[in-house]
Amino acid sequence: QVQLVESGGGLVQTGGSLRLSCVASANIRDFNAVGWYRQAPGKQRELVAALTSDRGSGYADSVKGRFTISRDYGKNTVYLQMNSLRPEDTAVYYCVVGLGLENYWGQGTQVTVSS
């Protein structure tokens, strides 16, 4: 079973930045895809960023130009750099990876952007 440990969430003011980290217990070179979802209270879970070997990276329109997904093979870590944060970015952010035929999820990290 793959375990994902997320960190980097917190409270920031509008216009600030955060970098989320997701450390995997497996070699991320073996992953089919990696991504970040978010879910705000009362709203559906939203895919905000994804990265695959064959298709590259993709972003939700709401975060395009502000968020960047990346990976560090040496650290077995996936990152989400979030810049120019807005109150509507407030949500729990989840790391997800695909390995073989299964997807694995982190427990989530809270991001709160104050007005």
Side-chain angles (χ1 to χ4, degrees):
Q1 183 176 344
V2 176
Q3 184 172 336
L4 305 175
V5 180
E6 297 159 309
S7 63
L11 174 65
V12 297
Q13 294 183 345
T14 297
S17 297
L18 286 173
R19 188 182 70 167
L20 306 183
S21 299
C22 174
V23 181
S25 63
N27 192 335
I28 66 171
R29 293 181 180 88
D30 298 328
F31 293 166
N32 306 120
V34 299
W36 290 90
Y37 283 77
R38 68 184 181 187
Q39 187 168 27
K43 296 184 178 180
Q44 294 184 343
R45 186 171 295 181
E46 174 190 25
L47 177 65
V48 298
L51 181 63
T52 62
S53 297
D54 55 345
R55 298 186 180 183
S57 60
Y59 301 91
D61 289 340
S62 59
V63 308
K64 195 171 297 182
R66 300 187 297 118
F67 290 12
T68 303
I69 186 171
S70 62
R71 56 193 167 193
D72 186 327
Y73 292 118
K75 296 182 178 180
N76 277 338
T77 301
V78 182
Y79 300 99
L80 184 67
Q81 178 67 46
M82 304 184 294
N83 299 325
S84 302
L85 285 163
R86 307 164 180 169
E88 53 263 40
D89 295 319
T90 296
V92 178
Y93 284 72
Y94 300 89
C95 177
V96 61
V97 303
L99 180 61
L101 299 178
E102 298 190 36
N103 294 326
Y104 299 89
W105 292 78
Q107 67 180 39
T109 184
Q110 176 71 46
V111 171
T112 302
V113 185
S114 62
S115 301

